[in-house]
Amino acid sequence: MYRVTLLPGDGVGPELAEATRRVLDATGVKFDWDVQPCGIEVIMAEGKVPARVLESLRKNKLGLKSPMTTPIGKGFRSINVFLRQELGLYACVRPCKVYPGVRTYFSGTKVDLVIVRENTEDLYAGVEFEAGKADTAKLIEFINGIATGKKIGSGIATTGVSIKPMSYEGTRRIANYAFEYANKHGRKSVCSVSKANIMKFTDGLWYAETRAVAKAYGAKFEDASLAEGVSPDSELVGKVADTKGGVEYTERLIDNMCMQLVQKPELYDVICLSNLYGDILSDLCAGLVGGLGVAPGANIGPDCALFEAVHGSAPKYKGQNKVNPTALILSGKLMLEHIGEKAAAEKLDRAVSAVIAEGKDVTYDMKASRTDPTAVGTSQMADAIIAKMQAE
Ligand code: NAD
């Protein structure tokens, strides 16, 4: 029996959480669900994420989370970012593969890639200074006053500043995770993505560290010159002796990567990125494989793992039993894999795949026309997936 914290979220979250819970129970794996309401309404009422939510996740070490709303530009900190940072969920893993039957421009292509995104640093650290505030003016004056030769040229009272902290440790940790993942799942390559030609001390650091980790893993460098003078990560050498090696290490700049993914996504496998680039590319990759309705995710830390869809709370569809439960259900599949329930995960994947391939009991977003009257609701699609598993 696995005790799992279930966060039903808000917007369409509760409907998706219920559908997913039923599907996971139907796999035959025994779950004891510790339901913890923590949507926007709860946060508004209590003023913060309730302590009981963090306590439950810390205790159970396993969570399934439906989406939660973050009002834009109201000084409101994202609950999602808060949970990832509080729980040290440093790796965000988002597999993107095309299921036969899904409507996408890439249906005929073998897209099967995995985004590994750093989850705790970068512009998401929440270190921000609002335009017009005294502290912001002080910061700008300090920066303009130090002898770097660099100045923030725009108006002191009219400029906002967001800080982009990126560390050796944080980068090494996520690159290490990406290579571990590639080795464990028999993946062929890890592509490190950055914008080091512009941001030398953050994105430049990123490349230096991902190269060092790649070298420690015995990776084959696509461009051998990138390995010259790189010292393998001393913390990893020795630990990686048992890995198969042979994973290829490649690098792309983020702008070029966007174009490459649209033109030839089948060439890419594991893609390792810092927080903001990872966030943006996750949605792009979700688009490649059929949209947000089918894009699952996992947030992994040393002590806890939280599984959630890439998409948000789609508030306009709240309470309509309309949106696609596949992304959260596939996040549940990632949870099954994480806890070692491989057979159940594969059974669930086959059932999802079969329902999508038939194209009958699927939600509006999977039909040729979004107004197709034969589209089924969230809970009916879950029923169809359950029926497929039971028929096996
Ligand atoms: P969204 O992902 O909620 O929805 C955008 C659109 O995508 C929807 O209007 C809908 O057309 C489509 N869509 C999303 N999920 C779908 C599904 N399961 N099935 C079918 N169609 C689906 O993005 P948004 O509107 O930018 O964000 C809404 C709220 O969600 C915001 O407050 C945002 O901060 C939050 N958000 C939360 C998370 C999270 O909880 N992890 C992630 C992203 C956004």
Side-chain angles (χ1 to χ4, degrees):
M1 173 85 80
Y2 299 95
R3 190 160 166 81
V4 179
T5 304
L6 180 65
L7 304 174
D10 60 58
V12 294
E15 307 156 46
L16 296 172
E18 185 49 28
T20 303
R21 168 163 56 172
R22 288 197 298 113
V23 169
L24 288 173
D25 283 339
T27 62
V29 175
K30 295 276 172 268
F31 291 105
D32 172 15
W33 300 101
D34 178 7
V35 182
Q36 295 288 343
C38 175
I40 186 79
E41 298 88 0
V42 175
I43 311 292
M44 290 294 199
E46 301 196 24
K48 58 177 181 159
V49 175
R52 58 180 166 72
V53 172
L54 283 173
E55 275 161 26
S56 165
L57 283 163
R58 287 200 174 106
K59 195 160 146 242
N60 298 329
K61 302 183 189 311
L62 214 52
L64 182 70
K65 177 184 160 296
S66 251
M68 296 174 184
T69 302
T70 310
I72 294 173
K74 295 202 178 133
F76 190 97
R77 194 84 204 283
S78 159
I79 310 164
N80 307 305
V81 175
F82 172 82
L83 288 176
R84 290 170 202 158
Q85 288 178 348
E86 278 296 308
L87 296 165
L89 305 175
Y90 69 89
C92 176
V93 183
R94 290 172 167 175
C96 297
K97 89 171 179 188
V98 174
Y99 281 88
V102 165
R103 276 164 230 285
T104 150
Y105 288 110
F106 296 89
S107 312
T109 321
K110 198 180 172 307
V111 182
D112 182 10
L113 41 86
V114 182
I115 300 279
V116 174
R117 163 188 170 194
E118 204 289 324
N119 236 353
T120 62
E121 300 196 318
D122 193 5
L123 283 156
Y124 282 65
V127 188
E128 299 210 275
F129 296 84
E130 194 179 340
K133 290 277 158 74
D135 280 349
T136 314
K138 258 196 263 169
L139 176 70
I140 295 174
E141 279 162 7
F142 170 74
I143 291 169
N144 287 352
I146 55 178
T148 58
K150 307 279 186 219
K151 301 237 181 283
I152 295 179
S154 40
I156 287 184
T158 53
T159 304
V161 179
S162 298
I163 304 286
K164 177 177 160 105
M166 282 169 63
S167 68
Y168 293 122
E169 302 88 323
T171 308
R172 203 174 299 165
R173 190 172 59 170
I174 194 69
N176 185 28
Y177 186 90
F179 274 97
E180 290 271 329
Y181 185 97
N183 273 314
K184 193 168 156 202
H185 293 88
R187 295 275 175 170
K188 291 190 176 52
S189 69
V190 172
C191 183
S192 170
V193 177
S194 190
K195 187 74 185 168
N197 51 338
I198 303 295
M199 283 158 283
K200 298 187 173 38
F201 301 134
T202 46
D203 288 18
L205 175 156
W206 172 272
Y207 272 161
E209 288 304 309
T210 58
R211 284 173 198 173
V213 171
K215 201 152 182 176
Y217 271 90
K220 183 161 66 74
F221 280 62
E222 180 191 38
D223 175 352
S225 71
L226 297 181
E228 281 166 22
V230 172
S231 8
D233 186 328
S234 55
E235 284 171 28
L236 287 177
V237 179
K239 283 193 204 167
V240 297
D242 60 336
T243 60
K244 290 177 223 99
V247 173
E248 189 180 38
Y249 173 81
T250 63
E251 281 182 7
R252 298 287 179 269
L253 293 173
I254 180 68
D255 40 353
N256 178 247
M257 189 68 193
C258 291
M259 190 195 69
Q260 297 270 330
L261 282 172
V262 172
Q263 288 198 321
K264 33 194 166 182
E266 70 280 6
L267 295 187
Y268 293 90
D269 200 338
V270 175
I271 305 175
C272 184
L273 312 98
S274 55
N275 213 337
L276 178 63
Y277 305 143
D279 191 11
I280 297 168
L281 225 67
S282 293
D283 271 33
L284 188 150
C285 291
L288 295 179
V289 299
L292 288 171
V294 292
N299 297 292
I300 313 280
D303 306 313
C304 183
L306 187 60
F307 298 83
E308 63 176 339
V310 173
H311 66 73
S313 56
K316 68 180 177 193
Y317 294 124
K318 176 181 176 175
Q320 295 178 27
N321 185 38
K322 184 171 169 88
V323 298
N324 193 340
T326 305
L328 195 61
I329 290 172
L330 289 177
S331 306
K333 185 202 102 176
L334 298 180
M335 182 169 83
L336 290 170
E337 285 171 353
H338 179 80
I339 58 180
E341 295 288 350
K342 196 164 172 269
E346 285 170 1
K347 179 162 81 168
L348 174 52
D349 196 58
R350 283 193 298 276
V352 170
S353 191
V355 168
I356 293 174
E358 276 177 19
K360 189 166 64 70
D361 297 315
V362 295
T363 45
Y364 75 100
D365 55 310
M366 301 196 108
K367 295 282 185 181
S369 151
R370 296 203 148 217
T371 53
D372 187 331
T374 67
V376 303
T378 307
S379 66
Q380 289 71 31
M381 185 162 176
D383 291 341
I385 293 168
I386 293 169
K388 285 280 178 230
M389 286 193 288
Q390 286 166 348
E392 264 202 13

